[in-house]
Amino acid sequence: MLNELILKMRSEFIFMKFVLKIILFGVVAFAFLLLLETSVLDDAEEWNGHYYQVFSTPMNWNEAKVFCESMGGHLVTVEIPAENEMLKELIASANAEDGKFWMGGTRNIDNIWRWVTENPIHDLDLENATPAENATKLYMDINRDGQWLTESETSQFPFVCEWENVEDAHDSDL
């Protein structure tokens, strides 16, 4: 009788193990199909060979920077006036409550402004930026016609990520 009970339990265990393997295979297959169908660039806007995506979850500047980099991009940089205009439209379409979005501009200890890509920030709009005391990071305020302003890196704003090309983009590792 004990042997029959052990045999029955063993066969039920083997059956349950088989069922769990099938379920696990199904979950893995489903996740793989989702990965094939979605990409970090699915919601990104292509402009002049670069890709831009607005993220409405407020983060401090450093968190936003790391988030963009974890997906193969960087906080948005602006090199020419047409790019600035496109960015204003993209941010305006995001309908953010207060209209403030982090950009990839940062001021170093020598008081020199640079983009996170190490490119210098040209006088595009920085000469009109309103510097805040002890502010070392750059943001755009769409409610002020896209004016660039400075802020402390601890403030929480939505942000825009940029990818130089499609090959750089990948889903976040975070």
Side-chain angles (χ1 to χ4, degrees):
M1 185 163 178
L2 183 58
N3 283 343
E4 289 176 4
L5 183 60
I6 292 173
L7 203 56
K8 184 179 177 185
M9 287 177 65
R10 181 181 160 108
S11 63
E12 287 178 2
F13 175 76
I14 291 170
F15 178 74
M16 290 300 291
K17 191 173 165 183
F18 176 74
V19 169
L20 286 173
K21 283 182 181 179
I22 289 174
I23 292 170
L24 181 59
F25 177 79
V27 169
V28 169
F30 181 72
F32 182 74
L33 288 174
L34 281 177
L35 280 175
L36 288 178
E37 291 181 24
T38 61
S39 164
V40 68
L41 295 181
D42 281 350
D43 295 325
E45 183 80 23
E46 191 273 335
W47 184 84
N48 204 26
H50 291 211
Y51 294 83
Y52 305 82
Q53 186 169 347
V54 174
F55 291 91
S56 58
T57 302
M59 293 185 186
N60 70 43
W61 190 89
N62 289 312
E63 291 167 340
K65 178 182 180 289
V66 168
F67 182 85
C68 293
E69 290 171 353
S70 77
M71 294 188 302
H74 54 79
L75 280 171
V76 69
T77 64
V78 178
E79 299 297 329
I80 58 175
E83 186 176 19
N84 196 56
E85 291 305 311
M86 177 281 304
L87 189 58
K88 283 196 243 180
E89 291 175 21
L90 180 66
I91 290 174
S93 70
N95 295 322
E97 193 171 302
D98 68 1
K100 298 174 181 177
F101 285 80
W102 283 124
M103 301 173 72
T106 183
R107 184 172 62 187
N108 65 20
I109 58 172
D110 296 324
N111 207 30
I112 297 172
W113 285 92
R114 296 189 91 55
W115 293 116
V116 290
T117 57
E118 296 301 319
N119 293 337
I121 296 179
H122 303 291
D123 292 359
L124 191 63
D125 252 350
L126 194 56
E127 64 193 33
N128 297 323
T130 306
E133 190 173 329
N134 298 321
T136 59
K137 307 303 177 203
L138 196 60
Y139 73 94
M140 178 182 279
D141 190 342
I142 205 62
N143 293 329
R144 294 187 182 187
D145 194 31
Q147 183 180 9
W148 295 4
L149 300 134
T150 62
E151 185 62 64
S152 164
E153 62 194 43
T154 59
S155 295
Q156 303 266 324
F157 298 145
F159 55 98
V160 179
C161 292
E162 177 181 358
W163 293 267
E164 305 296 323
N165 57 61
V166 70
E167 290 82 24
D168 292 341
H170 55 81
D171 291 320
S172 175
D173 299 327
L174 298 180

